[in-house]
Amino acid sequence: MEGDFARFFRSWIANPMRVSAIAPSGRRLAAIMTKEIDPGAGPVIELGPGTGVFTRALVARGVPESDLTLLEFGPEFVPALRLHFPAANVLQMDAARLGELSGWAGRRPGYVVSGLPLLSIPMPQRRRILGGAFEVLRPEGKFYQFTYGPRPPVPREILAELGLDCRRIGGTFGNLPPASVYRFQRAA
C-alpha cells in the first residue's frame, strides 16, 4: 500500500499549484486546527482532507467518523480516504460547490475544517467556498483554515461582504512550512 507522503508527493509533482505545499500538514498543525471542535456538536465538514491528517485528529478528538463529510477534489486521495475512514461520507468534488450540498437530516454541520490552499485559489472561488460553507453551517458554525502567509487568506472586503469575522487562533513552526490557523464565523 502506498504511503501518505508518497501519494502526496506524486500529487504535488503532477500539479504543484493545486497541492500548494511541499509536504503534508503535520500533527502539530492538525492539533491547532481541531482544538476548538466539540466532538458532540454534530456533523463536521472537511475540505481538502488529502492524506487525512486533520481527519485523524478529528477522530482522535472524539468526532464520530459517521459525522464526517470529507470533500476531496483530487482523485488520487479519495480511495485511501474511503479505505481509512469507511464510516465517513467521502465525496469527490470541488469545494466551491459546498453550498449545493443538502440532506443534513436536521443536523446541520457545526464546523468546517479546511486543508485547502486558499492563497493559490482565485479570489472568486475563495468567495464561493467560504460563502457555501456558511450556507450549510448552523448560525453559530465556525470555519477553520490554515495558511502559510502572514495574514488571513481571505481579504477584509470579502469577509465584510459575507458578514464574517476572522481571528487567528494559533500557529506552529513545527510544520513545513510554518503555518497560522484562523477561525471564521458570522459577525456578532
Side-chain angles (χ1 to χ4, degrees):
M1 183 172 101
E2 181 180 34
D4 286 348
F5 185 80
R7 187 177 307 106
F8 179 91
F9 186 71
R10 195 173 71 236
S11 182
W12 180 80
I13 290 294
N15 193 341
M17 287 307 291
R18 181 168 55 94
V19 175
S20 293
I22 58 174
S25 297
R27 284 183 283 196
R28 289 181 183 155
L29 179 56
I32 298 168
M33 285 285 287
T34 61
K35 72 180 181 179
E36 294 185 352
I37 305 292
D38 175 359
V44 176
I45 299 171
E46 185 178 355
L47 307 178
T51 62
V53 68
F54 298 155
T55 316
R56 285 188 290 279
L58 288 165
V59 171
R61 279 197 59 75
V63 175
E65 204 175 288
S66 59
D67 274 354
L68 295 173
T69 296
L70 311 177
L71 274 63
E72 177 55 58
F73 185 77
E76 65 277 19
F77 295 113
V78 172
L81 290 168
R82 287 184 175 144
L83 176 69
H84 296 300
F85 307 102
N89 182 22
V90 180
L91 303 172
Q92 184 181 346
M93 65 181 282
D94 185 341
R97 294 181 46 222
L98 175 59
E100 299 171 19
L101 290 181
S102 61
W104 299 103
R107 292 183 70 223
R108 288 175 63 187
Y111 305 98
V112 171
V113 174
S114 173
L116 298 174
L118 282 188
L119 290 177
S120 67
I121 293 175
M123 203 60 71
Q125 193 171 353
R126 275 190 245 179
R127 190 206 174 287
R128 282 194 307 275
I129 291 166
L130 212 54
F134 282 93
E135 284 177 31
V136 300
L137 281 168
R138 294 190 301 254
E140 71 279 9
K142 296 174 177 68
F143 183 109
Y144 295 89
Q145 176 69 51
F146 77 93
T147 186
Y148 302 128
R151 291 184 296 263
V154 179
R156 278 184 254 142
E157 299 78 30
I158 291 179
L159 294 174
E161 178 186 330
L162 295 173
L164 302 175
D165 283 333
C166 174
R167 181 170 180 238
R168 184 180 186 275
I169 62 163
T172 179
F173 288 103
N175 194 73
L176 185 63
S180 292
V181 176
Y182 291 89
R183 179 184 60 227
F184 298 88
Q185 61 191 68
R186 289 178 179 90

